[in-house]
Amino acid sequence: MAAGVPIAFQEVLNLQQLQVPEASIKHGLTTMESDKWIVSVEPNQVSLIDLQNQAQVTRRPIKAEAALMNPSINILALRSGKMIQMFNLDTKSKLKSHDVDSPIVYWKWTSSSNLALITATSVYHWSTEGADGPTKIFERHATIGSNTQIINYTVSPDNKWCLLGGISAGNAPGVVNGNMQLYSVEKKVSQPLSGHGGSFCSIKLAGREDRAQCLVFHEKKPEDPSHRLFVMEVGRDPSKGAPHRLPPTQIPVPPEAASDFPVSLVIDAKNDVAFLLTKAGFVYMFDIHSGKTMFRTRITQETMFVTCPQASTGAVFGITVRTGRVYRVGLNGANLIPYIVNTLRDNDLAIKVAGRLGLPGAEHLYTQQFEALMGAGQVKEAAQLVASSGTALRTPQTIARFQQIPAEPGAPQPVFQYFSTLLEHGKLNEQESIELAKPVLQQGRPQLMEKWLKDDKLHCSEALGDLIMPHDTAMALSVYLRSETHAKAIQCFVQRGEYDKIVPYSTSVGYSMDYSSMLSQLLFNNPQGALDLAKGLVSAEGGPLIDIQATAEAFLSSNRVQETTAFLLEALKDNKEEHAYLQTKLLEINLIGGAPQVADAIMQNGILTHYDRAHIGKLCERAGMWQRAAEHYSDINDIKRVFKNSHQMNPEFVVNYFGKLNREQSIALLKDMMSRGPSNMQVCVEVAKKYNDELGSEELVKVFENAKATEGLYYYLGAVVNFSEDPVVHFKYIQSACMLGQFKEAERVCRDSNIYKPEQVKEYLKNAKLPDPRPLIHVCDRYDFVDELTEYLYLNSLLQYVEVYVTKVSPAKTPQVVGKLFDLGANEDFTKRILMAVGTACPVEEMVEIAEMRNRLRMLQPWLEARVATGSTEAGTHNSLGKIYIQMNKDPKAFLTN
């Protein structure tokens, strides 16, 4: 191609050289949806050409009629008959499959998530997401019916407009008509168009805030030999104004190509340029903003049957039918403006395109037009020219020209008009930003600067930050941050007191500085700021940026205990063994420095474990922190010393503390505590109750007995007696209960327990001479010490309890009691009274036997007669009574007869 032309054109690949068969290089079999992959369907296989990996070819043994690779991700769509499928090549899994009702005549990826399917009558969309099948979008218009071969389909950026394109045979031989259908998804209406190609794009128009979504299409009506290009906006909100629309422009088709027709229209979105490629191999390049043709040439004698854009460069790829040449066509910016000026002789187009794309070649045109406008006093128009000139006129000299123009009464200064126009078109450069800032700040209007910075309209530089700094440090900081003026950004952080932000910022931008000197200065002027900075430095990603010990000593040298503490807590939070000295120091300065509650809180959290425990224990003891001191001691003598103050400790702590001691230490400490008087008794009882199994009841009983703490012993044993199988526990509990006058409790255990030794308990109770003998009664009754019981009660004048025993406790043992009373020479009236009280509950034969052995049978007469009177038929009762009557000669004959 000749030098100086405004397009770059080259062959980048040849499919035949990659062994793709010629028969497969045609419409429907070879596809190229993006600059990533070319897919070719061959007999018994599908070839995948990876353009991102030096055109490496992968051939898969797949039988399919057509294959289409997703433009963004590695999802391959396959079609065979009415079956369509999607496969994820990265995960090697099938995504979806569907049986269509009608044959697919054309298909295309409209985005990375949507596959368009066109049948003879309708258009469908099939999403890669979910499990749903294809969704019908619209029906084909009559003008693009089944006799039309579909060659293109595209969807607008907002997904609200669709354009379907195809070709069909014309009325004359060799004539090919183009038909398109524009469909509104929202309104569900179609508009037929006569033409061969079209596409959607989004462009930024001068003087408008919102972007324009435009349809660019070729028009060729069957009865009209001319070809025209249309650019019209679709889908604009009417409330924002009328849609953008250009008058149709003629496309300069050469005479030798009268029967030629376009096969595709591809948008260069990067430069707002449209490329129209024809069957005969012509390429037309249009400026979308004006609709003008900027270049036309024939690049090949062959048809490029498939095309796609390259988003990163704006170029177009195309593949020629059968030969498989892959061409790349793109804008040659260096040559475009000179070509427009010298060949097309369209200075207006050259100025607009050069300004929009920032291309060289129109500088002299800009200068001439600028001087003419300035000379005519057209300040606004001159400003608009500069704004549209790219960088050609955006110089300090131009600013000076506007600054020199005097302002007219009631009108804004020309230089402000100039800057306002530039701001409408985009962002100011460095010098412009500075020159605008000067008067705005002088007028006390920083809010304007803030708005422009927020909208990214100003070029941030150190000089601009310096201008703003005296007026607004926050705004200056924003400028320094954006301009990467690190030292001054850090100065702003210091001035604003945002010390905690210095280290993260410095680390993120890789900026190093002398933090030690900054800390030294801050320590005297702003201790809190020094602390915030030091905490950030010691916690920096990658490790501390300062020496921890030296920094802590610097804080301490200024008598800053609170700041030292906060710093060390941050520095030592990882609880490393090598920081044992510093951990000790942290606790020490608070215990000695008058803040023991701080040290207490640190120890409570348990975040430090490597400090000198013995040393800190002594300091806690000096500070009266008895519990903390105890936690740090292991020697029993130290523990005993601290526990002299156990009355000032939390009882729960004391009880739990014993769980950390061994058996010998626990007993020794309990003895020591009990020896200090009754104030410790309650907590010692709780200790004994909780650790009874571990310490053993025998030792615990000794502790209480040695301290003469009967009440403590009683409460301790009361908690364990019901579960203990130790006779000592039961005996000692009975004993302590009796000593404290808790006779009901002693009675309960004597009555219910099977653990105590009966002989031992009986002897104790007898010797104790309790005013209430019921505990002894139960022991003697259960273990058959009836004679001893009777004797004890009789000799101790507790005769009423004898009667209680035989009437309430054990009537069956009345004969034993009466026998013992006989032996003791008890009053016969008392004996008779208890017999009468027991009545029939007393076993008669045993009672008679005991009385006869002691020759006291006659004494039973009243009792026996009373039994007979109640209707007793017992032989023993009657026999005994008969004996008595015979002895007394009391009419024995009548008794025996009756």
Side-chain angles (χ1 to χ4, degrees):
M1 187 163 289
V5 298
I7 68 168
F9 169 73
Q10 66 180 129
E11 181 180 338
V12 295
L13 199 64
N14 190 302
L15 298 186
Q16 287 197 15
Q17 293 177 1
L18 298 177
Q19 283 73 53
V20 178
E22 178 181 328
S24 294
I25 308 175
K26 65 178 183 179
H27 182 77
L29 292 181
T30 293
T31 57
M32 185 179 184
E33 295 290 280
S34 70
D35 62 349
K36 292 186 176 182
W37 294 90
I38 295 174
V39 181
S40 183
V41 175
E42 304 169 13
N44 301 319
Q45 66 181 9
V46 173
S47 294
L48 308 175
I49 302 168
D50 187 352
L51 301 178
Q52 307 291 310
N53 190 21
Q54 300 180 341
Q56 181 176 340
V57 182
T58 302
R59 290 183 164 86
R60 296 178 179 268
I62 301 172
K63 289 186 179 182
E65 295 176 4
L68 208 59
M69 183 67 82
N70 187 290
S72 303
I73 50 183
N74 294 337
I75 294 178
L76 179 66
L78 296 173
R79 191 175 85 234
S80 183
K82 292 185 178 182
M83 170 65 75
I84 51 175
Q85 302 177 86
M86 292 183 189
F87 292 90
N88 188 316
L89 300 185
D90 292 332
T91 61
K92 299 180 181 179
S93 61
K94 182 195 290 188
L95 291 182
K96 307 178 79 169
S97 65
H98 186 75
D99 284 320
V100 295
D101 297 330
S102 303
I104 304 297
V105 299
Y106 183 80
W107 62 344
K108 186 173 183 64
W109 288 99
T110 63
S111 70
S112 61
S113 61
N114 183 65
L115 178 63
L117 309 170
I118 291 89
T119 68
T121 60
S122 305
V123 174
Y124 297 85
H125 284 182
W126 194 26
S127 173
T128 58
E129 301 169 354
D132 294 338
T135 302
K136 184 177 179 179
I137 304 300
F138 62 94
E139 293 184 352
R140 288 169 60 169
H141 194 269
T143 58
I144 191 166
S146 57
N147 62 335
T148 301
Q149 178 187 355
I150 303 301
I151 61 172
N152 191 31
Y153 178 72
T154 185
V155 177
S156 65
D158 65 1
N159 293 312
K160 295 180 180 179
W161 297 84
C162 308
L163 184 69
L164 181 65
I167 55 176
S168 60
N171 295 328
V175 175
V176 176
N177 293 334
N179 298 289
M180 292 184 291
Q181 177 183 354
L182 178 63
Y183 178 76
S184 169
V185 177
E186 285 187 330
K187 298 180 181 179
K188 302 187 184 306
V189 295
S190 294
Q191 179 183 348
L193 303 172
S194 295
H196 293 78
S199 190
F200 296 98
C201 64
S202 175
I203 61 175
K204 182 69 176 72
L205 297 172
R208 260 180 62 170
E209 288 295 326
D210 58 319
R211 296 182 68 84
Q213 178 179 261
C214 294
L215 172 64
V216 182
F217 67 94
H218 158 271
E219 182 190 73
K220 169 66 174 70
K221 295 182 178 179
E223 67 279 3
D224 186 351
S226 62
H227 296 252
R228 298 190 297 174
L229 184 77
F230 278 76
V231 178
M232 64 180 191
E233 186 176 5
V234 293
R236 191 184 193 201
D237 184 350
S239 66
K240 295 183 178 181
H244 171 69
R245 183 169 186 144
L246 294 177
T249 56
Q250 289 294 125
I251 299 175
V253 177
E256 69 271 21
S259 61
D260 191 18
F261 62 90
V263 292
S264 67
L265 189 149
V266 184
I267 301 295
D268 170 2
K270 184 177 182 182
N271 299 302
D272 291 350
V273 168
F275 290 97
L276 187 70
L277 296 94
T278 73
K279 183 177 185 301
F282 282 90
V283 172
Y284 298 81
M285 184 171 68
F286 307 103
D287 171 39
I288 295 176
H289 287 258
S290 64
K292 293 181 178 180
T293 304
M294 294 190 292
F295 187 66
R296 178 199 72 203
T297 189
R298 190 173 194 178
I299 60 174
T300 178
Q301 301 293 321
E302 301 162 322
T303 301
M304 286 190 282
F305 68 96
V306 63
T307 57
C308 74
Q310 186 178 38
S312 60
T313 64
V316 178
F317 285 100
I319 305 175
T320 59
V321 69
R322 291 186 299 276
T323 57
R325 293 186 176 92
V326 181
Y327 289 120
R328 183 180 182 275
V329 183
L331 176 69
N332 186 338
N335 293 341
L336 179 59
I337 304 305
Y339 181 83
I340 295 175
V341 172
N342 300 322
T343 304
L344 301 183
R345 299 188 179 280
D346 190 338
N347 289 351
D348 182 63
L349 177 63
I351 288 174
K352 290 178 179 177
V353 173
R356 191 179 80 245
L357 301 183
L359 297 175
E363 291 80 3
H364 65 291
L365 297 176
Y366 282 119
T367 303
Q368 292 172 9
Q369 191 169 352
F370 177 72
E371 293 297 338
L373 291 170
M374 290 292 279
Q378 295 177 289
V379 176
K380 183 177 181 181
E381 290 76 6
Q384 289 176 337
L385 175 67
V386 176
S388 63
S389 71
T391 59
L393 296 176
R394 306 270 295 264
T395 64
Q397 291 76 20
T398 301
I399 299 173
R401 288 287 298 277
F402 282 98
Q403 288 173 332
Q404 293 164 5
I405 302 173
E408 295 183 6
Q413 292 183 354
V415 71
F416 281 134
Q417 282 187 285
Y418 170 62
F419 286 134
S420 178
T421 302
L422 294 183
L423 288 169
E424 289 176 4
H425 282 75
K427 185 175 182 177
L428 302 189
N429 62 30
E430 181 177 355
Q431 192 62 37
E432 291 164 350
S433 300
I434 292 170
E435 294 301 326
L436 174 60
K438 289 176 181 177
V440 169
L441 292 171
Q442 286 174 357
Q443 294 173 13
R445 303 170 69 187
Q447 66 275 13
L448 288 177
M449 296 292 295
E450 187 175 356
K451 179 182 183 302
W452 292 329
L453 284 169
K454 183 178 179 181
D455 295 341
D456 196 26
K457 293 288 189 177
L458 303 180
H459 178 91
C460 293
S461 63
E462 182 177 357
L464 181 62
D466 293 344
L467 272 176
I468 299 172
M469 186 68 176
H471 303 273
D472 191 323
T473 55
M475 195 187 307
L477 174 60
S478 174
V479 172
Y480 288 139
L481 291 174
R482 296 191 206 181
S483 62
E484 299 183 356
T485 310
H486 305 313
K488 291 190 176 179
I490 291 172
Q491 287 178 9
C492 278
F493 284 132
V494 173
Q495 189 166 336
R496 289 169 56 80
E498 296 175 333
Y499 305 101
D500 57 327
K501 296 181 180 179
I502 294 175
V503 175
Y505 173 73
S506 301
T507 305
S508 66
V509 299
Y511 182 73
S512 58
M513 59 181 294
D514 184 1
Y515 294 113
S516 299
S517 61
M518 179 181 287
L519 272 175
S520 299
Q521 294 173 7
L522 283 174
L523 259 174
F524 294 100
N525 304 323
N526 189 340
Q528 182 58 44
L531 171 61
D532 292 339
L533 177 58
K535 288 167 70 175
L537 291 169
V538 82
S539 302
E541 187 175 346
L545 300 176
I546 51 174
D547 182 87
I548 299 174
Q549 185 170 341
T551 304
E553 289 173 353
F555 277 108
L556 278 178
S557 66
S558 299
N559 199 29
R560 294 288 176 180
V561 175
Q562 185 175 344
E563 287 81 1
T564 307
T565 299
F567 167 69
L568 286 176
L569 281 174
E570 180 67 25
L572 306 179
K573 63 185 179 183
D574 292 333
N575 191 27
K576 295 180 179 178
E577 189 173 358
E578 63 261 31
H579 292 154
Y581 169 78
L582 291 171
Q583 290 185 6
T584 305
K585 194 70 176 176
L586 170 59
L587 296 171
E588 181 183 271
I589 61 175
N590 284 281
L591 289 167
I592 296 176
Q597 70 280 5
V598 176
D600 185 59
I602 295 171
M603 291 183 280
Q604 176 66 32
N605 290 334
I607 55 177
L608 306 178
T609 60
H610 300 292
Y611 57 86
D612 185 337
R613 298 185 65 82
H615 177 64
I616 296 302
K618 291 177 181 177
L619 293 179
C620 290
E621 191 174 352
R622 289 181 195 171
M625 297 167 58
W626 313 117
Q627 293 183 189
R628 290 289 173 220
E631 289 176 339
H632 289 75
Y633 286 143
S634 57
D635 184 87
I636 189 61
N637 294 318
D638 293 329
I639 297 170
K640 284 181 179 179
R641 185 177 66 253
V642 172
F643 267 75
K644 289 179 181 179
N645 304 282
S646 59
H647 59 284
Q648 298 182 36
M649 297 181 187
N650 184 305
E652 184 179 356
F653 167 81
V654 174
V655 173
N656 292 333
Y657 185 82
F658 276 82
K660 304 174 183 177
L661 305 179
N662 60 38
R663 186 171 183 271
E664 290 72 18
Q665 288 177 322
S666 296
I667 295 297
L669 183 57
L670 274 175
K671 287 179 179 179
D672 192 69
M673 291 175 67
M674 290 297 296
S675 70
R676 300 186 188 283
S679 60
N680 289 326
M681 186 186 70
Q682 185 174 351
V683 71
C684 289
V685 167
E686 295 302 317
V687 171
K689 285 159 61 174
K690 183 169 183 177
Y691 302 105
N692 175 71
D693 292 342
E694 293 82 353
L695 303 181
S697 55
E698 184 176 353
E699 288 293 333
L700 290 171
V701 167
K702 288 179 182 178
V703 169
F704 286 102
E705 287 186 332
N706 292 339
K708 296 182 172 53
T710 304
E711 186 177 359
L713 179 63
Y714 171 73
Y715 286 118
Y716 151 57
L717 293 175
V720 300
V721 68
N722 293 336
F723 310 102
S724 173
E725 295 186 2
D726 184 353
V728 174
V729 169
H730 288 249
F731 171 69
K732 291 295 182 180
Y733 183 63
I734 294 169
Q735 187 181 55
S736 59
C738 292
M739 293 171 70
L740 294 173
Q742 299 292 332
F743 302 122
K744 286 189 176 296
E745 200 50 23
E747 180 186 0
R748 179 186 68 81
V749 177
C750 290
R751 181 184 65 238
D752 299 336
S753 172
N754 296 315
I755 306 300
Y756 60 80
K757 296 178 180 178
E759 186 69 35
Q760 182 184 30
V761 173
K762 177 199 69 173
E763 290 301 322
Y764 166 73
L765 293 174
K766 284 172 62 179
N767 295 328
K769 297 188 182 300
L770 305 178
D772 185 344
R774 279 176 286 191
L776 177 63
I777 290 173
H778 286 293
V779 173
C780 292
D781 176 64
R782 292 180 63 195
Y783 296 101
D784 204 23
F785 299 134
V786 177
D787 285 355
E788 290 183 68
L789 172 64
T790 305
E791 183 178 5
Y792 174 82
L793 295 176
Y794 179 78
L795 295 178
N796 287 282
S797 302
L798 296 171
L799 299 180
Q800 72 271 28
Y801 286 103
V802 175
E803 187 173 351
V804 169
Y805 174 64
V806 294
T807 58
K808 303 293 186 182
V809 178
S810 190
K813 294 182 179 178
T814 302
Q816 292 178 259
V817 174
V818 171
K820 189 62 178 177
L821 289 173
F822 287 157
D823 296 340
L824 292 170
N827 185 284
E828 285 192 6
D829 292 339
F830 172 71
T831 306
K832 289 178 181 179
R833 189 174 74 243
I834 64 171
L835 267 175
M836 294 302 291
V838 175
T840 59
C842 175
V844 63
E845 292 181 357
E846 186 180 351
M847 186 67 254
V848 170
E849 182 182 352
I850 288 175
E852 284 185 324
M853 287 175 60
R854 289 167 173 76
N855 198 24
R856 306 294 288 270
L857 183 60
R858 287 183 62 182
M859 197 193 75
L860 301 183
Q861 180 182 349
W863 173 64
L864 291 173
E865 288 175 341
R867 290 176 70 93
V868 171
T870 60
S872 173
T873 59
E874 297 170 309
T877 299
H878 289 268
N879 290 341
S880 300
L881 191 56
K883 290 180 181 179
I884 294 172
Y885 285 165
I886 292 172
Q887 289 177 4
M888 294 174 63
N889 197 22
K890 186 181 179 181
D891 197 8
K893 182 178 180 180
F895 174 76
L896 293 174
T897 303
N898 295 321

